Amino acid sequence: MNVLGIIASGVAALFITVALAKGARRAALRPHAPDESGGRAPRVAALRRAGGATVVLGVGTAADGALWFGAADGSAGSVAGLLAGAGIVAALGLVHDLKPFRAALRLPVQTAAAVLVVCLAGLSPAAGVLAVLWIVLVTNAFALLDHADGLLTTVGLVTAAGLLACAALGGDPALTLLPATLVAGLAGFLLHNWHPARLRLGASGAQFTGFALAASGVLIQEAAPSGRAAWAALPVLATVALADTGLVLISRRRAARSLLRDTDDHIAHRLRRVRVTVPGTAVVLGLWAAVPVTTATLVYAELLHPAFLLLPPAGSVAAVFVLLRIPAYTPPRTAPSRTASRRTAAPTTGAAIPSAAPAPGVAGPAPGKGAPSGTARTAAGHPTVPPPPTGRSAAGVAAE
């Protein structure tokens, strides 16, 4: 595959994604009839979640067009299997965006799509099993990053750029097709996914992105020359996604929470709790992803010693332990005890009502003993006399 074909495929993916995303954005922001509860129509949220379908259509159309014109040469079968598997998981994600279902039901479909990629790539049984496990793991790890504006799009863009560089340096330039179109598609979608996001990748775009990155890494590693450290360099590209998954699993395990129930305990959520803005979170994780991507690319190009590949994972592990110290779960509220609720019952409100003055001939309190409790007093300590009733003068009261 020549350089002009790669550039043409990327430009096509960029323009198709931008055009489709612009139409989806207009449809999502168009006024709709309110639902019964008085809010926005429910399909508005579904349209925003299904925005990732524009990336799938843009990247898939450009890559299929390149395959149709014979751009992949001898690797057409492997690339076609990769596109077919990514399309399967994207279709499943679109169904989930429109009508959510349990996440555990996605694993068999993802496994079947990974098996399809491995079989068409011609991997050995042992390598095929490892490749299937890796593809399923990385697909779900990247999909978990779609919880903040521009986060998954930024990290996926940086990772795809690293795969593109490795594929260009490898022995099969045809494998640059999908990374090149994915870089262009994610760049076009980022215009609508940056904070404040009008569209989201959703389950469709997130699973497509994760599956395409994981499967592309497997194919590039299989086609790499024997002298390159591809077996160690390419897995490092997924460091940020795996660090986020590890943080979530450890945090939920320590808090005795369900591992499959998604809550606000990811890296982005913890950064938000320490006053990092939403765009700043995407930038921080993008720079975090750029470190292992750059290191892996330089090692793959034989410009660095493979020992440098230990630095990004070690730094990510240290960062995970630091992030675990940021509280992610609010403590449960304890109900007040009955005794405390009785003691803290609201006292009678309002000013104390002064007692009436003693009638003539009735002796008041004995000197030195003070007035009864609740009687208002003057500054000298004498009981005050309440004002006469409304509409009656003091003389009338005395005459009575």
Side-chain angles (χ1 to χ4, degrees), residues 6-391:
I6 298 174
I7 296 176
S9 301
V11 171
L14 175 63
F15 278 98
I16 294 173
T17 303
V18 170
L20 294 177
K22 188 175 182 179
R25 176 177 178 174
R26 288 180 178 178
L29 297 180
R30 185 181 305 166
H32 299 281
D35 56 3
E36 297 180 357
S37 60
R40 282 190 167 188
R43 63 173 178 169
V44 175
L47 284 173
R48 291 184 176 181
R49 288 195 305 269
T54 61
V55 178
V56 177
L57 293 175
V59 174
T61 302
D64 286 339
L67 289 177
W68 178 265
F69 288 104
D73 299 330
S75 300
S78 300
V79 177
L82 196 160
L83 287 175
I88 291 173
V89 297
L92 179 68
L94 183 60
V95 174
H96 178 74
D97 288 331
L98 300 178
K99 188 175 182 181
F101 53 87
R102 292 185 178 180
L105 299 178
R106 294 180 293 189
L107 293 178
V109 179
Q110 293 172 356
T111 304
V115 170
L116 176 63
V117 174
V118 169
C119 291
L120 292 179
L123 272 68
S124 62
V129 172
L130 294 178
V132 169
L133 295 176
W134 174 256
I135 292 174
V136 174
L137 173 63
V138 175
T139 299
N140 290 279
F142 273 97
L144 289 177
L145 289 176
D146 188 33
H147 55 264
D149 294 349
L151 183 58
L152 175 57
T153 311
T154 303
V155 176
L157 179 62
V158 174
T159 308
L163 287 172
L164 176 60
C166 292
L169 295 171
D172 194 350
L175 297 179
T176 59
L177 174 62
L178 191 58
T181 54
L182 191 60
V183 167
L186 292 177
F189 187 76
L190 188 60
L191 301 175
H192 305 277
N193 188 235
W194 194 255
H195 182 75
R198 297 295 182 265
L199 295 176
R200 292 182 52 193
L201 280 173
S204 177
Q207 292 188 55
F208 176 83
T209 301
F211 190 93
L213 293 173
S216 296
V218 170
L219 296 183
I220 293 172
Q221 179 177 346
E222 181 66 18
S226 58
R228 301 184 186 272
W231 61 273
L234 294 175
V236 177
L237 299 177
T239 299
V240 173
L242 295 178
D244 183 73
T245 303
L247 173 67
V248 167
L249 294 178
I250 295 174
S251 179
R252 294 177 187 176
R253 180 66 177 175
R254 292 172 59 179
R257 291 176 174 261
S258 175
L259 298 180
L260 299 179
R261 185 177 181 180
D262 197 13
T263 54
D264 298 341
D265 52 1
H266 295 266
I267 294 177
H269 298 136
R270 297 172 191 266
L271 292 178
R272 292 286 293 134
R273 287 183 173 87
V274 293
R275 307 295 184 180
V276 180
T277 62
V278 176
T281 300
V283 172
V284 169
L285 267 75
L287 294 176
W288 186 351
V291 174
V293 166
T294 303
T295 305
T297 304
L298 293 177
V299 171
Y300 188 86
E302 299 181 345
L303 298 177
L304 285 179
H305 192 273
F308 283 93
L309 293 174
L310 298 176
L311 297 179
S316 298
V317 170
V320 166
F321 280 101
V322 172
L323 291 170
L324 283 173
R325 301 179 63 87
I326 301 176
Y329 311 110
T330 56
R333 297 181 178 180
T334 56
S337 60
R338 295 182 178 179
T339 306
S341 60
R342 292 176 182 175
R343 292 180 179 178
T344 57
T348 56
T349 59
I353 301 176
S355 59
V362 179
K369 294 184 178 180
S373 60
T375 303
R377 293 175 174 272
T378 62
H382 300 288
T384 59
V385 179
T390 306

